[in-house]
Amino acid sequence: MNRLDAAQIRDFQQDGAVALRGLFREWVEPLRTGIERNMAEPSSVARIYPAKDGSGLFFGDYCNWSRFAEYADFLRHSALAETTAQLMGARTVRLFHEHVLVKEPGTDMPTPWHHDQPYYSVDGEQNCSVWVALDTVPLDTAVEFVAGSHRWGRWFRPEKFDRTALNQDDGLEPVPDIDAERSRHRVLSWELEPGDAVAFHFLTLHSAPGNRATGRRRRAFSARVVGDDARWAVRKGKTSPPFTGVTLAAGEALQGPEFPVLYPPPA
């Protein structure tokens, strides 16, 4: 079993984000292959935002693990499940969904400040996103996180990455202007090499700049998992992913073929 040290677990639980160095190096090439296949065959919910000057694009897609063997192999056979079980303090780990994000060279669209929980149709304290870098990520294109924001007890209005509201009149407060008040926060970010990752809580505020560099892609594979206390949630309006085929009632334990158990591994 891959053992994290106590400081990594503490940082995840207290700060809401922690870097994991070199944990997925052997999975870089398989995941790159899967992403190229995914970009050639996007799903019906893929989002493709071209750069304003036409020089790059921001590609995002999710819930494709059953279509691409590279994704399924990573989710089931990498150190992902054991690692997140330790971070969350969970006996079981279940997949919520996977998400690929590609910022091609010249992509000027940033990922705005947000946290993920209000987008999702799941509740529970035990949750974790693992953002795996498939290219070198210098600080000028790295994801940033507001340390401790998962403990604020606040839920912010979800928006699409082009800054339009996911749902109108959802009753949630707007995301604060973190950039205007950076001195009030401890903002975390890490330079990453292929195979490094960042694990973070669904309620941790995060953002990322565009990729204005020429000749350097920024590909990432993100796995979102949940622990023992995961329950299906019904939100006001749309969720992302939509999971239109799920028939669970609000408050039911998360289960079903869309959400396979990753840990302990099936016999």
Side-chain angles (χ1 to χ4, degrees):
M1 182 175 184
N2 176 68
R3 286 287 177 187
L4 300 176
D5 61 45
Q8 289 174 300
I9 296 172
R10 180 200 63 217
D11 289 348
F12 174 78
Q13 294 179 354
Q14 293 185 359
D15 292 343
V18 65
L20 305 172
R21 299 293 183 186
L23 192 59
F24 303 113
R25 284 197 188 105
E26 70 270 31
W27 293 96
V28 170
E29 288 304 325
L31 289 174
R32 285 175 174 173
T33 298
I35 285 179
E36 293 310 305
R37 293 179 60 205
N38 195 165
M39 294 183 75
E41 304 174 49
S43 77
S44 61
V45 295
R47 295 290 181 265
I48 303 173
Y49 302 106
K52 292 176 182 177
D53 64 1
S55 62
L57 62 82
F58 181 11
F59 174 89
D61 204 357
Y62 44 53
C63 298
N64 290 297
W65 63 270
S66 61
R67 293 204 296 139
F68 301 113
E70 296 87 352
Y71 295 176
D73 286 346
F74 172 79
L75 294 167
R76 294 188 183 280
H77 301 130
S78 74
L80 170 81
E82 291 179 341
T83 299
T84 54
Q86 293 173 68
L87 290 172
M88 296 186 296
R91 298 184 305 277
T92 60
V93 175
R94 188 180 290 270
L95 177 67
F96 184 52
H97 73 284
E98 100 294 329
H99 190 182
V100 299
L101 304 106
V102 179
K103 289 187 177 180
E104 298 287 17
T107 301
D108 53 12
M109 175 175 282
T111 303
W113 286 103
H114 69 288
H115 56 190
D116 295 333
Q117 186 83 67
Y119 292 80
Y120 294 167
S121 51
V122 67
D123 286 329
E125 293 295 325
Q126 292 178 332
N127 62 66
C128 184
S129 288
V130 178
W131 192 99
V132 182
L134 303 180
D135 298 289
T136 296
V137 181
L139 283 179
D140 63 0
T141 58
V143 184
E144 296 186 309
F145 303 87
V146 178
S149 54
H150 66 307
R151 294 184 165 193
W152 289 356
R154 298 164 69 187
W155 282 43
F156 301 111
R157 181 175 304 136
E159 295 179 327
K160 300 175 185 176
F161 281 4
D162 62 4
R163 302 310 303 266
T164 58
L166 183 66
N167 300 302
Q168 297 293 334
D169 303 320
D170 58 13
L172 299 180
E173 62 177 304
V175 178
D177 189 345
I178 299 298
D179 291 321
E181 55 182 49
R182 286 178 75 94
S183 63
R184 296 174 51 190
H185 305 290
R186 185 160 60 95
V187 178
L188 307 174
S189 65
W190 295 273
E191 294 181 348
L192 302 173
E193 292 300 323
D196 291 346
V198 178
F200 60 98
H201 194 276
F202 288 178
L203 278 173
T204 303
L205 281 169
H206 56 285
S207 75
N211 180 19
R212 297 184 177 88
T214 58
R216 186 179 68 216
R217 307 180 79 184
R218 201 215 69 178
R219 292 167 289 182
F221 181 93
S222 190
R224 284 79 187 264
V225 301
V226 293
D228 312 321
D229 64 348
R231 296 291 183 269
W232 182 252
V234 176
R235 305 287 182 226
K236 184 176 181 180
K238 299 177 182 177
T239 59
S240 177
F243 289 121
T244 54
V246 173
T247 58
L248 295 171
E252 279 194 86
L254 197 71
Q255 58 186 314
E258 298 88 352
F259 313 113
V261 173
L262 304 179
Y263 182 84

